[in-house]
């Protein structure tokens, strides 16, 4: 039976959820907080060791200034308000993303949450804010290139394993189950390096309607999948 140690979620559909109810898009983001906490709690119950959530992408800067300002303020406030609860659950918070353009107040809260929960061991919450998968790979390649130039790394000995050590969170395992809510069927530049053999699951529920029961259903489907990691099994006996 397949075991999902690392679950990644693209929390999509907040705006459409709100608009369908005659509400501004920002209300959909606000409603997503309860979904996030319920899913975190459910993931702990299911034995998930790492939960990565896509909070704000490097492409989200293209949204309206009003929505961006709301997301920055809201992300900062959610992290501040919930870190005590997360620590009481044994959740270690880590942040993946770029500092440039991200509000300093958001960075401060993310770093404070990392310090505050550093000793927690039940589950890791990888909070991806101002994150882009291609940017992460480019940043890793740049850092590796600096080490090559400084003579710390022989360029002829560069491997995928070595490059992986330069990613934002090199100690986390690869993604086992990749979930996107909201009905869209694309990965949107999320954890590209970490998801080479992730099982993909696209669900119709918008993020505010996704909860621990939804996560449980996804994990049940995942448990029934056969993961071969490039290997093959012949269904016909032969030589």
């Amino acid at each position: 039976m397949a075991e999902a140690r690392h679950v990644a979620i693209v929390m999509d559909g907040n705006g459409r959820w709100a608009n369908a109810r005659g509400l501004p898009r920002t209300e959909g983001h606000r409603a997503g907080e309860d979904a996030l906490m319920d899913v975190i709690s459910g993931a702990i119950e299911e034995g998930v060791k790492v939960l990565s959530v896509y909070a704000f992408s490097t492409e989200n800067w293209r949204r309206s200034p009003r929505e961006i300002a709301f997301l920055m303020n809201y992300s900062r406030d959610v992290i501040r308000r919930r870190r005590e609860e997360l620590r009481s659950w044994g959740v270690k918070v880590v942040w993946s993303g770029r500092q440039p353009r991200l509000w300093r107040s958001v960075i401060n809260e993310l770093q404070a949450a990392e310090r505050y929960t550093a000793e927690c061991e039940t589950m890791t919450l990888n909070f991806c804010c101002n994150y882009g998968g291609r940017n992460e790979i480019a940043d890793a390649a740049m850092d590796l290139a600096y080490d090559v130039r400084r003579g710390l790394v022989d360029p002829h000995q560069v491997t995928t394993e070595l490059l992986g050590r330069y990613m934002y969170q090199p100690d986390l395992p690869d993604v086992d189950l990749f979930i996107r809510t909201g009905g869209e069927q694309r990965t949107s530049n999320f954890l590209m390096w970490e998801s080479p053999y992730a099982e993909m699951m696209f669900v119709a529920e918008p993020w505010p309607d996704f909860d621990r029961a939804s996560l449980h259903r996804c994990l049940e489907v995942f448990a029934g999948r056969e993961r071969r990691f490039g290997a093959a099994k012949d269904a016909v006996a032969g030589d």
Side-chain angles (χ1 to χ4, degrees):
M1 181 181 297
E3 180 183 5
R5 291 188 304 158
H6 187 172
V7 176
I9 304 181
V10 179
M11 304 180 291
D12 192 30
N14 296 318
R16 293 189 297 278
W17 179 92
N19 290 167
R21 289 159 175 77
L23 301 170
R25 289 176 55 84
T26 52
E27 290 305 306
H29 298 305
R30 198 184 305 277
E33 179 182 349
D34 288 339
L36 175 60
M37 297 305 293
D38 194 51
V39 167
I40 291 172
S41 179
I44 293 171
E45 291 177 349
E46 296 283 353
V48 173
K49 304 310 294 182
V50 181
L51 178 67
S52 292
V53 295
Y54 211 0
F56 189 88
S57 77
T58 49
E59 289 73 37
N60 286 156
W61 294 107
R62 301 171 185 167
R63 297 190 177 185
S64 71
R66 179 175 179 272
E67 185 172 0
I68 289 172
F70 176 87
L71 288 169
M72 291 294 102
N73 284 309
Y74 197 58
S75 295
R76 178 193 62 208
D77 295 344
V78 167
I79 296 160
R80 180 192 300 136
R81 283 188 285 100
R82 296 291 191 169
R83 67 185 180 195
E84 180 68 44
E85 188 173 9
L86 291 172
R87 189 167 79 163
S88 72
W89 292 353
V91 176
K92 178 181 181 178
V93 178
V94 297
W95 165 44
S96 292
R98 282 182 161 178
Q99 288 201 22
R101 297 191 73 179
L102 189 58
W103 288 16
R104 170 48 59 182
S105 59
V106 177
I107 294 173
N108 290 342
E109 291 299 335
L110 286 165
Q111 293 176 338
E114 286 182 318
R115 293 190 299 270
Y116 192 68
T117 62
E119 303 303 318
C120 295
E121 297 181 345
T122 300
M123 190 183 77
T124 297
L125 175 65
N126 183 25
F127 196 83
C128 300
C129 188
N130 200 26
Y131 174 89
R134 286 184 171 181
N135 290 328
E136 180 182 18
I137 295 169
D139 290 345
M142 180 177 63
D143 289 342
L144 176 56
Y146 278 130
D147 281 351
V148 169
R149 189 172 68 177
R150 294 163 59 198
L152 300 176
V153 175
D154 181 346
H156 296 98
Q157 295 181 343
V158 173
T159 62
T160 55
E161 290 77 11
L162 177 61
L163 182 57
R165 296 176 201 161
Y166 289 81
M167 297 297 157
Y168 295 148
Q169 301 295 337
D171 294 331
L172 298 185
D174 281 347
V175 174
D176 297 302
L177 174 60
F178 188 112
I179 301 170
R180 183 182 184 128
T181 65
E184 303 290 351
Q185 299 189 25
R186 54 180 178 269
T187 61
S188 294
N189 199 23
F190 188 42
L191 298 178
M192 297 171 65
W193 180 270
E194 296 83 359
S195 305
Y197 284 101
E199 294 292 320
M200 300 292 174
M201 211 164 292
F202 302 102
V203 299
E205 293 163 274
W207 177 246
D209 289 337
F210 197 86
D211 57 16
R212 69 180 66 204
S214 309
L215 176 65
H216 178 74
R217 288 192 294 271
C218 289
L219 289 169
E220 279 192 323
V221 173
F222 172 84
R225 292 188 179 180
E226 183 180 2
R227 306 183 74 201
R228 295 189 294 272
F229 299 97
K233 184 184 296 185
D234 201 333
V236 179
D239 295 335

